[in-house]
Amino acid sequence: MFGLCVAGAYAQTNDLTEQYRSAADRLIDAALADTEGYAKLTYLCDRIGKRLSGSQSLDQAVSWSVEQMKRDGLKNVAALPVKVSHWVRGRESAKIVAPLERPLRMLGLGMSVGTPAEGISAEVVVVSGIEQLAQLSREQVKGKIVLFNAVYKGYGPTVVNRTAGASRAAALGAVAVLVRSITPLAVQLPHTGALTYQEGVPRIPAAAITIEDALLIERLSQNGVPVKVHLEMAAHEEPDADSANVIGEIPGRELPQEVVVLGGHLDSWDVGQGAQDDGSGILASLEAVALIKKLGLQPRRTIRVVFWVNEENGGKGGEAYRQWVGDKLSNQVAAIEMDGGAERPLGFGFGNFGGRRGQTGAAPDADSMATLKQIGKLLERIGAGEITPGGGGSDIGPLTREGVPGLSPRTVAAHYFDWHHTEADTLDKVDLDDFRKNIAGLAVMSYVLADMPGRLR
Amino acid sequence: MFGLCVAGAYAQTNDLTEQYRSAADRLIDAALADTEGYAKLTYLCDRIGKRLSGSQSLDQAVSWSVEQMKRDGLKNVAALPVKVSHWVRGRESAKIVAPLERPLRMLGLGMSVGTPAEGISAEVVVVSGIEQLAQLSREQVKGKIVLFNAVYKGYGPTVVNRTAGASRAAALGAVAVLVRSITPLAVQLPHTGALTYQEGVPRIPAAAITIEDALLIERLSQNGVPVKVHLEMAAHEEPDADSANVIGEIPGRELPQEVVVLGGHLDSWDVGQGAQDDGSGILASLEAVALIKKLGLQPRRTIRVVFWVNEENGGKGGEAYRQWVGDKLSNQVAAIEMDGGAERPLGFGFGNFGGRRGQTGAAPDADSMATLKQIGKLLERIGAGEITPGGGGSDIGPLTREGVPGLSPRTVAAHYFDWHHTEADTLDKVDLDDFRKNIAGLAVMSYVLADMPGRLR
């Protein structure tokens, strides 16, 4: 009945909790004492560093990742080729030129086009967000630079100004876009991130500026005197580059064709060290699997760790993985993506973004939730056992949209968006003890999901 | 008995609290509704901006300050000439050049000498602070760049690495110094600030780097491979420049020769806007006095607002003010310096840095403390009435060292050192409501001190 037995069979009792207590405790103890995971993260951050798709350092990171997985004794280690977008920032700068001159601290948005070599100088129209822009007429926007000065109201609700702002403004005739950095913390730190151009609308350059500078422009604008900004960006796309998803496995002892997949993304933005985003995710995942291996725990099903590539500006790694799985999708028994940083973990979110097997927006399966809560109990001793609806991520999106049960670790998320996509996403932001707890959570969750008699649905 | 009556006469009763309740409430109400003070601060920050001693923008700030005091109806408005140090940052950069290449985010320390035009390249010796440096031999330090990687333990205990580090390292033969920024918050933001060279020791260049970069250098150093840094700084001093302390008064109605002086410093570092440090201090002080004037409260003694100059890198304004007072020091009945930012005020610190009338380190006078506590009660409704020992500041230091009773507002100080001496010290950091409460505190304190029958001692 293996592989057919549903989670519900375990919901009424705490079978799983009892059955896996000993293995879980060993994994947690090992994770809490682990030094290898953080050592790997240190190497990735300090020696390889930032690793945007198409960069040499990403190539280096791919080779290094293959080596690490082999050194940890994983099987079927491979770099699965993926063509990735190759966006290059180039030289860039911005300044206020009227009614006074002030430099602006900026970072062009990922995938933005550049300006002409001589730059763009234009008057700024300040809006509080895409909603307010929608109330403006073409006459009010045409030929202008639109500043989206949106107050941070959580990442999801605010980031739409960054992703969609350029095309919304261009549709009204704007020549460029500035976006207030998507963060709650004002410390003169610009936050980059990708935009998405809408088909059929002119592509205009777009850059993030700091909260401070966005507020300055807003204040100057309120005096009735036009504020003019000069923007220069050499950003451009080069032909797609060769890269790879890196995978490694502990083959299952009974059902090796069935796979619990876990991981994060190997690429990062071209600023900082990609420490929390997502060095912490890939290396907590790898270390979780390495510890399972080291403790001699060979699960019933295969556990596969995946370092997806090109998450930040293209999502090609997640798509390529889905294609590589091909018609064996039903063998993907669960997918866990860690891409929210390694702050203190609280538990896991569980859900199916896009709905299960075509049912969009379906609530998580109740029996599966009950099963996960039994597993969660094993993580209560480190405060990481809470199971809540809603989970997933962009790399496992192509799987979960087709019905693969998706999970993601949930943390306190106290500071993640202070550093996200900035020069400040560096190793020091990853606390060793929190990182270890994340390893523990991933190890216990992936091991039990891979070993338990039944499957989530 | 005016001017002779001591504070102790009021200590047993709450005479002052009762007597000044109505005036204090009017001042507080006016301050809490005030818009002029913040409008002035906005102008100073956005239109004049940063204003280092010797800069054109400081000249502009002096003229503007004179205008503001006149517009507020103050008397005896004057710009009292002061020769100020004229340090110029010039172009500067730093990078790790071995065992790998990484740019360093840096700000030369104020008053530092520059490097030769070709820069300085040398191996880095990392120490946890001046204490650890003292344990090193000349052989270990000679020809090296010393990095003071001191963990922030409050500003006072940590800043000594910035002020004294260069000469301590030079005495052991170091060729340059890097100082981890003096701040609790790691967000890739370098914090500048002045150093002091010791006489008789070679002057070597010194720069602040970010917490992140200091930690990176420390980690790289721990691998036994020498870390090498290249530093270029064009910093230099030009001949002292002409500047001024700006003063204005409400002349006392009975004892105009006796003066309560309050203010902060007009100059700032050459980064950010000098918003909290110390735009907030001077403009809260001015607005406090403007409101006293506007409400028609003419105190018994003179209230004088002073915008001292050159606090950040020379202290020439505070010294010049002391000289200008001359042999009339006993007429300075109290000095209030606000130079800790306008976060939510809690009360005032009271003390005599350097001791009273030659007695160094004396505890605050008990009768005066009792008097101040009566005044503090008037500020309880805004949570700003706590009177604690310890207060003063560097601009009033030349007064308090000779016995003038010194006070300084005390705030929650939750974030001041996150922004201090950085590009992030901008207007948005000053909360309007907190700023208004600071105005209220200064208005009530200075008015009662100037009007009450007795004096502090």
Side-chain angles (χ1 to χ4, degrees), chain B residues 341-373:
Chain B
E343 291 177 276
R344 185 164 58 79
L346 298 175
F348 286 84
F350 173 58
N352 305 75
F353 281 121
R356 297 179 55 240
R357 294 186 173 82
Q359 304 165 333
T360 50
D365 176 72
D367 289 340
S368 296
M369 279 297 280
T371 298
L372 288 168
K373 284 181 181 185

Side-chain angles (χ1 to χ4, degrees), chain A residues 72-96:
Chain A
D72 282 332
L74 302 195
K75 303 295 181 202
N76 307 323
V77 174
L80 307 173
V82 182
K83 283 275 183 191
V84 296
S85 31
H86 187 186
W87 177 81
V88 175
R89 177 178 304 284
R91 286 179 65 89
E92 57 181 19
S93 65
K95 59 182 174 184
I96 301 173

Side-chain angles (χ1 to χ4, degrees), chain A residues 360-445:
Chain A
T360 50
D365 176 71
D367 289 340
S368 297
M369 280 296 280
T371 299
L372 289 168
K373 284 182 181 186
Q374 288 183 44
I375 305 173
K377 282 193 182 154
L378 297 166
L379 292 165
E380 276 176 5
R381 57 175 272 214
I382 56 166
E386 207 174 57
I387 309 294
T388 44
S394 50
D395 283 318
I396 61 173
L399 303 176
T400 58
R401 274 194 291 277
E402 294 189 57
V404 175
L407 294 107
S408 50
R410 213 163 48 76
T411 75
V412 293
H415 293 290
Y416 187 70
F417 290 107
D418 294 352
W419 317 311
H420 184 251
H421 296 183
T422 73
E423 290 289 357
D425 184 4
T426 48
L427 181 69
D428 55 291
K429 304 309 182 302
V430 184
D431 177 80
L432 174 59
D433 288 333
D434 291 342
F435 183 67
R436 286 167 162 169
K437 287 180 181 168
N438 278 281
I439 295 171
L442 290 171
V444 170
M445 181 57 73

Side-chain angles (χ1 to χ4, degrees), chain A residues 101-445:
Chain A
E101 194 148 324
R102 292 282 184 280
L104 296 169
R105 279 136 290 237
M106 58 83 80
L107 275 175
L109 295 187
M111 309 309 281
S112 176
V113 298
T115 63
E118 71 276 15
I120 290 174
S121 286
E123 190 182 328
V124 180
V125 180
V126 183
V127 295
S128 60
I130 54 171
E131 302 79 4
Q132 200 191 351
L133 176 71
Q135 294 161 18
L136 299 188
S137 67
R138 194 173 169 82
E139 290 68 49
Q140 289 171 296
V141 175
K142 197 179 168 193
K144 308 261 174 71
I145 295 173
V146 173
L147 165 60
F148 291 92
N149 181 36
V151 174
Y152 184 81
K153 291 175 181 161
Y155 190 68
T158 319
V159 76
V160 62
N161 295 289
R162 188 195 80 206
T163 52
S167 289
R168 302 288 178 95
L172 291 169
V175 293
V177 154
L178 299 175
V179 180
R180 168 171 159 161
S181 289
I182 311 299
T183 177
L185 184 66
V187 284
Q188 288 286 24
L189 190 63
H191 293 235
T192 189
L195 59 72
T196 307
Y197 287 123
Q198 200 184 317
E199 287 298 320
V201 174
R203 298 182 168 214
I204 59 173
I209 60 173
T210 65
I211 295 179
E212 285 89 341
D213 286 342
L215 292 172
L216 172 63
I217 292 174
E218 181 187 46
R219 291 194 301 270
L220 294 174
S221 298
Q222 283 163 350
N223 287 304
V225 180
V227 178
K228 221 169 150 180
V229 159
H230 180 76
L231 179 67
E232 289 184 20
M233 293 169 61
H236 63 280
E237 263 195 272
E238 301 199 351
D240 283 359
D242 290 318
S243 191
N245 290 328
V246 181
I247 68 165
E249 297 178 348
I250 300 178
R253 68 173 196 277
E254 287 184 8
L255 296 165
Q257 75 283 9
E258 293 194 6
V259 179
V260 169
V261 59
L262 77 160
H265 64 87
L266 183 53
D267 63 308
S268 78
W269 281 106
D270 57 340
V271 290
Q273 297 183 321
Q276 288 280 22
D277 186 15
D278 188 25
S280 68
I282 55 174
L283 292 170
S285 297
L286 174 56
E287 202 59 15
V289 178
L291 292 180
I292 293 168
K293 171 93 189 157
K294 196 180 275 181
L295 293 184
L297 296 167
Q298 193 184 4
R300 195 182 307 265
R301 300 180 191 78
T302 293
I303 296 179
R304 177 182 297 150
V305 63
V306 185
F307 293 1
W308 286 281
V309 76
N310 191 225
E311 191 273 345
E312 294 293 8
N313 61 334
K316 297 288 167 39
E319 288 168 19
Y321 180 80
R322 170 66 192 88
Q323 282 173 14
W324 180 74
V325 166
D327 58 6
K328 306 280 176 23
L329 188 70
S330 61
N331 280 337
Q332 305 279 303
V333 305
I336 307 174
E337 178 171 342
M338 176 166 164
D339 187 17
E343 290 177 276
R344 184 163 60 77
L346 298 175
F348 286 84
F350 172 57
N352 305 77
F353 280 120
R356 297 179 55 239
R357 298 187 169 79
Q359 303 165 334
T360 50
D365 176 71
D367 289 340
S368 297
M369 280 296 280
T371 299
L372 289 168
K373 284 182 181 186
Q374 288 183 44
I375 305 173
K377 282 193 182 154
L378 297 166
L379 292 165
E380 276 176 5
R381 57 175 272 214
I382 56 166
E386 207 174 57
I387 309 294
T388 44
S394 50
D395 283 318
I396 61 173
L399 303 176
T400 58
R401 274 194 291 277
E402 294 189 57
V404 175
L407 294 107
S408 50
R410 213 163 48 76
T411 75
V412 293
H415 293 290
Y416 187 70
F417 290 107
D418 294 352
W419 317 311
H420 184 251
H421 296 183
T422 73
E423 290 289 357
D425 184 4
T426 48
L427 181 69
D428 55 291
K429 304 309 182 302
V430 184
D431 177 80
L432 174 59
D433 288 333
D434 291 342
F435 183 67
R436 286 167 162 169
K437 287 180 181 168
N438 278 281
I439 295 171
L442 290 171
V444 170
M445 181 57 73

Side-chain angles (χ1 to χ4, degrees), chain B residues 105-129:
Chain B
R105 278 136 290 237
M106 58 84 79
L107 275 176
L109 295 187
M111 308 311 279
S112 176
V113 298
T115 64
E118 70 277 15
I120 291 174
S121 286
E123 190 181 326
V124 180
V125 180
V126 184
V127 295
S128 60

